[in-house]
């Protein structure tokens, strides 16, 4: 079978290319070995990435053991926690596209036969997978794994706890010394933050998509078992490359449906909607937003991790991990087990050997909720959809109606919360923060955490054309489309307008007459703003949240 690396290694005309490979330390004995790129997102800025050198070393050992040549390169990453609530958050979602482009460039520019992807944290996992789908290269994913939970005054905590503590501090419910004590212990190890936030959600979905070996999503970052997993992943990448099994071998309508099912069963981050849409776009697989509601409607929510519940990723690992969850779901015929995986086995062959430990993974007839964790809402306020993590909404807020409090940016809302100017019962609207308007669709954990810290998450709903952190909880409805900067209905909301939310019925309605909305629309003007650099290019190319906020709108895959 011809290999991609033949383009840079075979024939007299490639003597200069081979000479450069000699400069790398390779010799003719390596000529028959597949060239396996090791895409490492290591850096010293992100706790989830600080240990990835050791992961990469084990991956490279595995590639050599499998008969390949490992060639490591790096990509960027943004820590959403550090980027939160300042200019940095404008660059987080943007980085996903940069990461995808960088991986594509390195593979195509150097004739690599396959890849091992070493991501961790929010946009790196989907960005790398998007690239693999785009160029349909053989790939195995091995993430850096989740952080262990911290312990504060006898209770287990994570980063979400610290964000919510800020709201408690500003409302006099926590002292400065207590806040400092909490911040010192909430994030005790390397790894992606300990709850089922966006990074860990995407690793769970990567495993069910068949692109990672069993255990990848849940083995904690500090555990030695992750090093062994990395070594096995390197060896498997060589075999996948030898067989010419590109990423699209594993990305199919059936595997994406399995991902939606797992997403619903776990109650994953709302950001998974954006990222699954983007991955499907690169693989040229239709994935309408309505599919999320359809799958969620038949899938019980059987695992409740932080921010929705008391447990953490390490607990899910002890319970049997993702394969155990899939085994439980298969009991109800909810999983298509015949799909292939990079392990060389079908998904069913993988999860049939799993053991379900304890009661963290609930039986299908005793779920936390009868339907799945995410819901897509439609109505005159969001004609193209809006997304909410239903499993993280308190029961009394599933149906809510109240007057709008309108803010055109996040800092104004945060200042209002800190000044105690948000009234119980209202519906807070943050707009002009979508993919184009943000720009970059900034993630808003600070206001949701501040509302929770102020004790308002059971009485106030939050609606935005931006997005929320996987650590957000409460009636936080994001991804409203069309976005405000494109003249979507959210741009027409005025202070005091009544907004009705019915999550069980998947509805979100602005109770303003069509005639009044038409008059407001005629008077509306797009805000003027000039952007340069990467943000300017992003705004010029990005599509709406309903299509995954991808560049190029209808698809840029090859």
């Amino acid at each position: 079978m011809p290999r991609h690396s033949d383009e840079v290694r075979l024939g007299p005309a490639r003597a200069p290319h081979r000479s450069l490979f000699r400069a790398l330390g390779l010799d003719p004995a390596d000529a028959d070995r597949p060239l396996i790129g090791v895409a490492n997102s290591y850096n010293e800025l992100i706790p989830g990435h600080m240990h990835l050198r050791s992961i990469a070393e084990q991956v490279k050992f595995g590639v050599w053991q499998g008969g390949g040549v490992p060639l490591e390169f790096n990509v960027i990453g943004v820590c959403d926690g550090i980027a939160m609530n300042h200019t940095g958050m404008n660059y987080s979602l943007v980085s996903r596209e940069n990461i995808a482009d960088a991986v594509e460039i390195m593979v195509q520019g150097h004739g690599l036969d396959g890849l091992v992807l070493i991501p961790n944290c929010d946009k790196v996992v989907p960005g790398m997978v998007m690239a693999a789908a785009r160029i349909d290269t053989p790939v195995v994913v091995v993430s850096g794994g989740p952080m262990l939970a911290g312990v504060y005054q006898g209770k287990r905590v994570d980063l979400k706890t610290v964000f919510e503590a800020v709201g408690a501090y500003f409302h006099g419910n926590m002292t400065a010394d207590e806040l400092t004590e909490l911040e010192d212990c909430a994030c005790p190890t390397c790894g992606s933050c300990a709850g089922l936030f966006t990074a860990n959600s995407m690793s769970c979905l990567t495993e069910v998509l068949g692109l990672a070996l069993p255990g990848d999503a849940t083995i904690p970052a500090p555990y030695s078992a992750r090093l062994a997993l990395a070594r096995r992943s390197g060896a498997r990448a060589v075999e996948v490359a030898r067989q010419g099994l590109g990423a699209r071998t594993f990305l199919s309508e059936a595997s994406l449906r399995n991902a939606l099912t797992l997403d619903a069963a776990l109650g994953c981050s709302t950001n998974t909607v954006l990222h699954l849409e983007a991955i499907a776009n690169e693989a040229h697989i239709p994935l309408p937003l309505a599919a999320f509601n359809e799958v969620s409607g038949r899938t019980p929510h059987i695992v409740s991790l932080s921010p929705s519940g008391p447990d953490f990723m390490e607990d899910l690992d002890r319970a049997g991990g993702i394969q155990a969850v899939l085994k439980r779901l298969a009991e109800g015929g909810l999983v298509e087990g015949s799909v292939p995986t990079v392990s060389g086995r079908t998904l069913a062959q993988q999860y049939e050997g799993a053991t379900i430990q304890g009661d963290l993974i609930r039986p299908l007839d005793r779920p936390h909720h009868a339907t799945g964790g995410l819901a897509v809402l439609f109505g005159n306020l969001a004609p193209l959809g809006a997304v909410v993590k239903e499993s993280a909404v308190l029961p009394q807020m599933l149906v809510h109606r109240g007057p709008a409090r309108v803010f055109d940016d996040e800092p104004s809302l945060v200042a209002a919360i800190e000044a105690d100017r948000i009234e119980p019962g209202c519906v807070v609207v943050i707009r002009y923060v979508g993919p184009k308007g943000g720009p970059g669709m900034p993630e808003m954990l600070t206001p949701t955490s501040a509302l929770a810290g102020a004790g308002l998450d059971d009485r106030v709903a939050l609606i935005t054309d931006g997005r929320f952190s996987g650590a957000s909880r409460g009636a936080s409805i994001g991804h409203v489309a069309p976005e405000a900067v494109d003249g979507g209905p959210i741009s027409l909301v005025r202070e005091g307008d009544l907004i009705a939310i019915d999550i069980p019925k998947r509805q979100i309605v602005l109770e303003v007459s069509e005639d009044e909305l038409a008059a407001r629309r005629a008077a509306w003007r797009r805000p003027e703003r000039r952007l340069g650099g990467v943000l300017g290019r992003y705004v010029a190319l990005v599509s709406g949240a309903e299509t995954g906020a991808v560049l190029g709108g209808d698809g840029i895959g090859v």
Side-chain angles (χ1 to χ4, degrees):
M1 178 184 297
R3 299 180 303 194
H4 194 196
S5 62
D6 291 348
E7 298 178 2
V8 296
R9 294 201 292 188
L10 295 185
R14 295 296 183 258
H17 305 65
R18 292 192 295 272
S19 182
L20 290 168
F21 282 120
R22 300 290 185 275
L24 291 174
L26 304 183
D27 61 35
D30 299 318
D32 292 330
R33 293 173 176 265
L35 300 183
I36 306 298
V38 179
N40 189 357
S41 58
Y42 164 80
N43 63 63
E44 295 182 340
L45 284 165
I46 307 176
H49 296 222
M50 61 186 287
H51 62 304
L52 296 187
R53 277 179 174 169
S54 60
I55 298 291
E57 288 304 312
Q58 295 300 317
V59 165
K60 289 187 285 187
F61 288 150
V63 172
W64 283 117
Q65 289 173 340
V69 175
L71 297 166
E72 183 181 355
F73 62 91
N74 288 85
V75 302
I76 66 164
V78 173
C79 177
D80 278 18
I82 295 174
M84 198 72 64
N85 195 30
H86 63 89
T87 303
M89 186 44 69
N90 296 114
Y91 291 84
S92 174
L93 187 58
V94 174
S95 73
R96 185 188 72 179
E97 316 309 312
N98 181 291
I99 291 161
D101 291 347
V103 173
E104 176 191 3
I105 289 167
M106 293 300 288
V107 172
Q108 302 291 58
H110 301 96
L112 302 179
D113 296 308
L115 281 170
V116 179
L117 303 177
I118 309 178
N120 228 25
C121 301
D122 301 77
K123 309 308 167 297
V124 190
V125 181
M128 285 186 169
V129 173
M130 286 166 62
R134 183 186 301 174
I135 58 180
D136 195 23
T137 194
V139 63
V140 174
V141 180
V142 55
S143 74
M147 183 184 291
L148 296 175
V151 178
Y152 169 72
Q153 296 185 356
K155 296 181 179 179
R156 292 196 300 165
V157 295
D158 57 21
L159 184 66
K160 166 192 66 70
T161 318
V162 186
F163 271 94
E164 294 185 358
V166 173
Y169 169 76
F170 279 117
H171 284 80
N173 298 323
M174 176 176 268
T175 67
D177 287 344
E178 289 171 330
L179 182 58
T180 299
E181 180 186 351
L182 174 60
E183 72 179 69
D184 285 346
C185 63
C187 299
T189 71
C190 59
S192 49
C193 295
L196 189 63
F197 312 145
T198 303
N200 291 325
S201 293
M202 287 309 302
S203 288
C204 292
L205 300 187
T206 302
E207 188 172 324
V208 73
L209 286 170
L211 298 176
L213 297 182
D216 181 61
T218 58
I219 297 173
Y223 284 15
S224 298
R226 183 156 292 277
L227 299 177
L229 177 69
R231 198 160 53 252
R232 292 197 304 274
S233 297
R236 280 306 305 169
V238 179
E239 185 59 30
V240 172
R242 282 191 173 130
Q243 295 179 38
L245 303 176
R248 295 185 199 172
T249 303
F250 311 101
L251 295 172
S252 63
E253 289 189 20
S255 68
L256 279 168
R257 202 164 189 84
N258 284 340
L260 297 188
T261 300
L262 181 68
D263 196 324
L266 296 177
C268 289
S269 162
T270 54
N271 285 311
T272 59
V273 177
L274 282 178
H275 300 325
L276 284 174
E277 289 284 355
I279 291 167
N281 173 75
E282 298 290 3
H284 302 297
I285 301 171
L287 184 60
L289 277 179
F292 287 84
N293 281 343
E294 177 193 344
V295 173
S296 182
R298 63 176 176 81
T299 307
H301 174 217
I302 58 174
V303 176
S304 186
L305 304 181
S306 175
S308 305
D311 295 307
F312 298 88
M313 292 299 293
E314 61 194 86
D315 301 306
L316 179 56
D317 188 60
R318 282 189 286 268
I322 296 306
Q323 300 305 313
V325 178
L326 294 173
K327 185 173 186 177
R328 180 73 86 201
L329 292 169
E331 293 172 1
L334 298 173
V335 179
E336 175 51 71
S338 65
V339 295
T341 74
V342 294
S343 72
R345 298 178 291 165
T346 66
L347 191 65
Q349 288 170 332
Q350 286 187 166
Y351 64 66
E352 283 168 357
T355 301
I356 302 171
Q357 301 283 355
D359 59 0
L360 186 147
I361 303 170
R362 289 194 173 185
L364 298 180
D365 60 359
R366 192 171 55 84
H368 294 280
H369 303 93
T371 57
L374 294 183
V376 180
L377 313 183
F378 295 93
N380 69 341
L381 186 55
L384 300 181
V387 181
V388 63
K389 187 170 183 174
E390 183 176 10
S391 61
V393 180
L394 292 170
Q396 61 267 39
M397 291 298 295
L398 291 171
V399 178
H400 181 75
R401 180 174 179 267
R405 290 294 314 279
V406 182
F407 299 87
D408 288 345
D409 57 63
E410 181 184 357
S412 298
L413 169 59
V414 173
I417 296 172
E418 291 175 357
D420 203 23
R421 291 189 285 108
I422 299 298
E423 303 81 10
C426 71
V427 177
V428 173
V429 176
I430 315 176
R431 61 191 180 188
Y432 296 106
V433 289
K436 296 178 186 176
M441 205 178 182
E443 190 172 271
M444 286 171 284
L445 177 56
T446 299
T448 58
S449 297
L451 287 170
L456 291 171
D457 56 322
D458 62 344
R459 290 171 289 173
V460 172
L462 188 56
I463 297 173
T464 181
D465 53 4
R467 59 195 180 89
F468 294 108
S469 166
S472 292
R473 60 187 177 94
S476 303
I477 301 167
H479 307 200
V480 170
E483 64 175 295
V485 78
D486 282 338
I490 193 172
S491 69
L492 309 179
V493 181
R494 292 182 179 174
E495 197 82 9
D497 287 348
L498 289 176
I499 297 176
I501 301 162
D502 193 326
I503 294 174
K505 290 185 178 180
R506 308 307 194 232
Q507 293 178 351
I508 181 169
V509 177
L510 174 62
E511 296 185 351
V512 175
S513 71
E514 286 303 314
D515 289 344
E516 174 61 20
L517 289 177
R520 294 182 189 181
R521 189 172 289 110
W524 178 83
R525 297 293 181 269
R526 183 192 302 271
E528 291 187 10
R529 181 179 53 185
R530 292 185 178 180
L531 290 169
V534 65
L535 294 183
R537 293 192 295 274
Y538 182 83
V539 168
L541 294 171
V542 72
S543 69
E546 73 280 3
T547 60
V550 296
L551 301 187
D554 292 332
I556 53 177
V558 293

